[in-house]
Amino acid sequence: MPTVAGALPEQQGFGVTRRRDNWWVVPAATFAVLSGFIVYSTWAAFQNAHYEFGNYLSPMYSPVLFGDSHHAWFGGKPSIWPAFLPWSPALLILWAPAGFRLTCYYYRGSYYKAFWASPMNCTVGKPWKTYRGENSLPLILQNVHRYFLYLAVAFIGILSWDAWMAMWFVDPATGTEQFGIGVGTLVLTTNVILLGGYTFGCHSFRHLAGGFLNRISGKPARQCAYQCSSWLNVRHMKFAWTSLFWVAFSDVYVRLCSMGIWTDYRIL
């Protein structure tokens, strides 16, 4: 039988589509949530205040390399800091976790659609006529994600230490530290768990856990690590969003307790 070759007409124009579902909801929600987080985290980073409350330290300021805080590693503000620039300890460290999320494989797909409409969704017209992919500047720089991973793992260790220190409270009567659990302890510990789930479920970490091997059946330790990372990787989207929200909430909690607006109740 003769066959007739044909092609569906190409959809032209920004937003043009034959889809009848609410395809715009996800990119719109992504745009709103990421924009809100960027605005809040930028504001919080420049405050240089209310980022600690007793033994609690906001994850947006940890580690405090320099600053007027008993958490500071190397003392106060460095003398070489330019006088015309605003000062905050967060400005020295936030670039690392921000770079990890910015170059994350999952977040790329999300913000490419939400901010650049590249495209906004499947079978939806985009405003760009060409697509160069990530093989040229500037998007080829996204390949640094694997290196930001190493920094992210280090941050998990530091934040875990912060969560541990959040379990020790100074007794006002004796001046000694005693073990305890407060609401803030649970907030900071949950933050580490969610960030750990997001970080160790990263595609790059999954590859790293597999030992760069094509076969891991003969490597039981690597196979176990790979399977654990794969379990987290399946839930990568959930950990990406919940950890993002919880980082902001952790900063809000410490900030409002420091300002005297919220009370940190002791559970134990």
Side-chain angles (χ1 to χ4, degrees):
M1 294 180 61
T3 57
V4 178
L8 292 175
E10 183 181 356
Q11 299 295 304
Q12 300 289 341
F14 175 51
V16 175
T17 183
R18 293 182 178 182
R19 294 178 59 168
R20 296 185 179 182
D21 61 322
N22 296 325
W23 57 266
W24 51 269
V25 171
V26 172
T30 301
F31 179 86
V33 173
L34 288 181
S35 296
F37 180 82
I38 292 171
V39 171
Y40 175 78
S41 59
T42 302
W43 174 84
F46 280 95
Q47 291 305 295
N48 190 25
H50 302 300
Y51 57 86
E52 59 182 349
F53 177 69
N55 54 334
Y56 299 158
L57 176 62
S58 166
M60 289 190 176
Y61 280 76
S62 180
V64 181
L65 300 179
F66 297 92
D68 299 326
S69 166
H70 68 279
H71 293 282
W73 289 13
F74 306 113
K77 174 183 175 181
S79 58
I80 62 173
W81 189 263
F84 62 89
L85 291 179
W87 160 252
S88 172
L91 301 180
L92 299 178
I93 57 97
L94 274 184
W95 60 270
F100 181 65
R101 286 189 184 264
L102 181 67
T103 59
C104 168
Y105 298 121
Y106 168 72
Y107 276 117
R108 291 185 209 176
S110 296
Y111 71 74
Y112 284 2
K113 295 181 177 71
F115 288 86
W116 298 345
S118 183
M120 292 187 68
N121 218 316
C122 296
T123 71
V124 178
K126 60 182 181 180
W128 323 109
K129 295 183 179 180
T130 59
Y131 176 71
R132 295 186 299 171
E134 296 182 341
N135 296 320
S136 58
L137 289 173
L139 296 184
I140 195 173
L141 297 177
Q142 299 280 29
N143 291 323
V144 301
H145 179 65
R146 69 194 70 176
Y147 303 109
F148 274 113
L149 169 67
Y150 304 137
L151 295 175
V153 171
F155 270 76
I156 295 298
I158 294 170
L159 294 176
S160 297
W161 174 257
D162 291 341
W164 169 254
M165 295 304 297
M167 299 179 186
W168 297 91
F169 298 84
V170 176
D171 187 340
T174 63
T176 59
E177 289 186 341
Q178 295 182 349
F179 180 81
I181 301 293
V183 174
T185 307
L186 301 180
V187 170
L188 295 180
T189 301
T190 301
N191 181 61
V192 175
I193 294 173
L194 293 177
L195 285 176
Y198 168 63
T199 302
F200 297 123
C202 166
H203 298 73
S204 291
F205 185 86
R206 184 168 174 259
H207 178 65
L208 183 65
F212 308 96
L213 302 176
N214 293 326
R215 288 186 57 192
I216 57 175
S217 58
K219 308 288 184 179
R222 289 183 176 180
Q223 185 175 13
C224 180
Y226 181 80
Q227 290 174 341
C228 290
S229 183
S230 297
W231 186 91
L232 295 172
N233 183 261
V234 172
R235 298 157 180 82
H236 198 49
M237 180 183 72
K238 295 180 180 179
F239 280 112
W241 290 114
T242 54
S243 63
L244 187 78
F245 166 80
W246 207 264
V247 166
F249 176 72
S250 299
D251 181 83
V252 169
Y253 187 87
V254 174
R255 186 173 300 278
L256 294 185
C257 286
S258 175
M259 297 173 66
I261 299 176
W262 283 0
T263 300
D264 179 63
Y265 293 100
R266 190 76 61 85
I267 300 174
L268 177 65

